[in-house]
């Protein structure tokens, strides 16, 4: 039984970086039992139900590849629109954890193909449908997510993030480990990824999450956008009145690359930018509010050289005391308040390469 290879495909491990620790799913069974690993061990993937679903999907042109575990969402190629010009993996696909049925929806607005199919011989239903809401609920429940409980609400309150902001951004927790925050990544309202964070600042993420900006639906119509370096910084800016903000999904690079920009298809570390290009292209002003440390500065530079320096602005984090500067949006919110954070962002300066 190929448990190890299956588990590595179901939980994408974050590359080890300064703030990011690699999580070995096998040493943290209590944290990953929701994710389908248990089912892998039980061999549910091979159940007759899943085999039936797989065959039905193939008839519809949905290729499940090898990674379609029940209880997880997957981003697949949509057979209807083929992902448009950018060839996005736009089909959010999900088999519920008991293998009873599969459901899918293409998050490209131009397409929106959706349907569901049962493992037993109930009628196959496929076509446009208006049940995005139930898809959303089922996908979240099946991933083992639930609304934040008192403990994590208090954790965020300490960071001056309100329940209103948490609700609007659909921040959740794991139902079987109530100390794990789940940042839901959505596109056109559909769950396309999820990043998990323990109170001790350990991170890991569902497969595909590294491919999209967090909060992308908030910049759909924005001509001015803000890019931050973490989900909590996005929530912090919302407290200061800015909803037109997205966070990068992965940590900052150690340093600015000395090489020329790679072609888009080889620019793997920044796929999330290219995948969101249609959104970013609309922005005439992009405020970079990355962390005030060397990796944060390197990230700002890497973003600016891809987005075009001429439309980039840079937030300058103020001094905390004689020797230190504030590190990020949440720190400013906590120590200086929402109005001060708003002013600091409003006072962003035209981007110049500091390196
Ligand atoms: Zn489609």
């Amino acid at each position: 039984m190929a448990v190890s290879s299956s588990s590595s495909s179901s939980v994408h491990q974050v590359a080890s970086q300064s703030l990011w620790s690699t999580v070995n799913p096998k040493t943290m069974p209590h944290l990953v039992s929701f994710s389908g690993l248990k089912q892998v061990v039980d061999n549910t993937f091979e159940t007759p139900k899943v085999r039936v679903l797989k065959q039905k999907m193939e008839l519809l042109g949905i290729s499940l590849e090898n990674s379609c575990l029940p209880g997880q969402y997957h981003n697949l190629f949509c057979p209807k629109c083929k992902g448009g010009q950018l060839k996005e993996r736009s089909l959010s696909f999900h088999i519920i954890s008991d293998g009873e049925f599969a459901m899918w929806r293409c998050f490209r607005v131009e397409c929106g193909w959706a349907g569901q199919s049962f493992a037993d011989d109930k009628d196959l239903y496929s076509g446009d449908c208006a049940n995005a809401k139930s898809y959303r609920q089922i996908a979240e429940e099946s991933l083992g997510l639930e609304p934040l409980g008192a403990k994590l609400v208090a954790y965020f309150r300490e960071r001056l993030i309100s329940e209103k902001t948490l609700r609007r951004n659909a921040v959740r927790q794991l139902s079987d480990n109530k100390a794990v925050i789940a940042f839901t990544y959505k596109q056109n309202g559909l769950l396309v990824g999820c990043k998990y964070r323990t109170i001790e600042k350990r991170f890991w993420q569902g497969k595909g999450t590294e491919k999209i900006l967090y909060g992308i639906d908030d910049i759909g119509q924005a001509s001015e956008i803000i890019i931050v370096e973490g989900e909590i910084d996005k929530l912090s800016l919302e407290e200061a009145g800015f909803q037109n903000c997205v966070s990068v999904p992965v940590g900052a690079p150690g340093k600015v690359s000395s090489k020329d920009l790679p072609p888009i298809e080889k620019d793997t570390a920044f796929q999330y930018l290219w995948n969101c290009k249609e959104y970013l292209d609309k922005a005439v002003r992009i405020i970079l509010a990355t962390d005030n440390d060397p990796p944060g500065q390197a990230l700002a530079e890497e973003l600016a050289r891809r987005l075009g320096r001429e439309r980039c602005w840079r937030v300058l984090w103020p001094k905390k005391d004689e020797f230190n500067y504030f590190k990020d949006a949440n720190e400013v919110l906590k120590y200086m308040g929402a109005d001060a954070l708003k002013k600091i962002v409003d006072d962003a300066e035209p981007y110049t390469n500091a390196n």
Side-chain angles (χ1 to χ4, degrees), residues 33-278:
S33 58
F34 75 96
S35 71
L37 287 176
K38 235 177 9 195
Q39 285 117 25
V40 176
V41 175
D42 297 335
N43 236 356
T44 303
F45 189 48
E46 297 299 326
T47 62
K49 281 180 186 169
V50 173
R51 262 203 302 276
V52 169
L53 286 173
K54 232 180 144 167
Q55 284 167 1
K56 285 187 166 183
M57 294 307 100
E58 268 159 31
L59 287 172
L60 288 167
I62 299 176
S63 167
L64 298 196
E65 298 156 16
N66 293 318
S67 58
C68 272
L69 296 170
Q72 299 220 339
Y73 55 84
H74 300 274
N75 299 321
L76 303 176
F77 288 106
C78 170
K80 299 292 172 194
C81 69
K82 313 259 188 304
Q85 275 192 335
L86 294 170
K87 301 201 172 20
E88 292 174 278
R89 295 171 79 93
S90 58
L91 195 73
S92 181
F93 179 87
H94 186 77
I95 298 177
I96 68 161
S97 44
D98 60 8
E100 211 57 58
F101 69 94
M103 56 202 307
W104 60 90
R105 177 172 280 266
C106 177
F107 62 65
R108 296 188 62 249
V109 177
E110 304 82 350
C111 175
W113 182 53
Q116 48 190 283
S117 181
F118 291 84
D120 63 16
D121 264 333
K122 282 182 206 164
D123 286 328
L124 179 73
Y125 166 59
S126 161
D128 284 328
C129 65
N131 68 346
K133 193 172 177 212
S134 66
Y135 183 110
R136 186 149 58 225
Q137 279 167 350
I138 293 169
E140 283 192 9
E141 278 165 24
S142 183
L143 267 184
L145 307 184
E146 64 178 20
L148 288 172
K151 187 177 173 185
L152 288 179
V153 168
Y155 168 87
F156 280 108
R157 191 184 307 123
E158 211 177 292
R159 283 154 187 77
L160 297 192
I161 310 288
S162 66
E163 281 189 72
K164 185 175 163 226
T165 295
L166 294 168
R167 262 198 312 274
R168 198 194 72 81
N169 289 277
V171 181
R172 303 285 186 249
Q173 68 183 25
L174 281 183
S175 49
D176 65 356
N177 187 333
K178 297 181 194 314
V180 177
I181 303 160
F183 294 105
T184 55
Y185 278 61
K186 300 200 173 189
Q187 188 166 15
N188 294 324
L190 284 185
L191 198 60
V192 294
C194 195
K195 192 157 123 196
Y196 305 94
R197 177 191 157 126
T198 66
I199 289 177
E200 302 81 32
K201 270 195 150 187
R202 259 195 324 233
F203 293 90
W204 68 101
Q205 58 196 303
K207 210 180 161 199
T209 310
E210 72 282 11
K211 305 271 170 58
I212 184 178
L213 290 161
Y214 176 67
I216 190 72
D217 286 347
D218 287 337
I219 63 165
Q221 304 306 323
S223 59
E224 181 170 317
I225 65 174
I226 305 163
I227 302 181
V228 293
E229 203 181 314
E231 293 84 359
I232 290 183
D233 290 326
K234 166 167 169 62
L235 304 178
S236 303
L237 283 178
E238 187 152 332
E239 294 298 334
F242 300 103
Q243 277 190 13
N244 54 328
C245 176
V246 286
S247 169
V248 300
V250 292
K255 60 180 173 60
V256 177
S257 167
S258 55
K259 296 185 191 133
D260 289 342
L261 281 184
I264 289 178
E265 65 280 6
K266 296 215 170 116
D267 196 12
T268 46
F270 291 87
Q271 278 306 303
Y272 61 80
L273 273 194
W274 305 119
N275 290 338
C276 298
K277 188 173 185 310
E278 278 175 75

Side-chain angles (χ1 to χ4, degrees), residues 319-325:
K319 270 197 151 174
K320 191 184 210 169
D321 54 43
E322 202 183 333
F323 305 105
N324 302 296
Y325 284 83

